Each structure stands twice: as structure tokens, then as C-alpha cells.
Amino acid sequence: MGALVLGLTGLAAQAQPIQSAKDQACRDEARARVFSTPDPRGLGPYELGRQIYFTCMKRGAKAGGKRTRRG
């Protein structure tokens, strides 16, 4: 039953609308790296993909926060 729940959770995540270009880029990065990234804790592809995605999104937020306004 756990696999069924995980599968449905993964489908729900994939059904979410794209919010921005960064969101799409991070989804693409997670999709591309999920099966080639080591998984020593045995998280599984869904949780590993989430970690890759959120790391990518944080990387974008940090880069965006460093911008200065020129006027």
C-alpha cells in the first residue's frame, strides 16, 4: 500500500501547474538528475527528486536576493 500512496503523491506533485521559469528549470533538473544522484539513505526517487528540486529553488532564491537595484 505504501508504494500506491507514494505513486499517487508523485502524480499529485506532477499535476501542479508551473509557477515560473525557475520552477520549470528546477523540475527539469530534478527529473534529469534523480536517477544519477547517489541515494545512500535509501529515500527513493520521489523524495530524492524533491530534495534536488528544493535545493535548486533555494539556489535561485539566494542568487535573486543578492541583486541590487540600480537607479
Side-chain angles (χ1 to χ4, degrees), residues 38-70:
D39 186 10
R41 296 187 335 195
L43 299 174
Y46 177 73
E47 187 61 34
L48 191 59
R50 286 184 76 238
Q51 287 185 354
I52 295 167
Y53 171 82
F54 285 113
T55 299
C56 176
M57 291 299 283
K58 285 180 185 176
R59 206 171 42 235
K62 288 180 184 175
K66 293 181 182 177
R67 291 185 213 158
T68 57
R69 189 174 182 172
R70 296 182 197 180

Side-chain angles (χ1 to χ4, degrees), residues 9-43:
T9 305
L11 290 175
Q14 292 175 357
Q16 298 297 317
I18 304 299
Q19 300 295 319
S20 66
K22 181 66 178 169
D23 180 26
Q24 181 64 56
C26 289
R27 288 181 190 214
D28 291 342
E29 179 180 331
R31 196 174 297 119
R33 293 182 46 209
V34 73
F35 292 109
S36 62
T37 300
D39 186 10
R41 296 187 335 195
L43 299 174

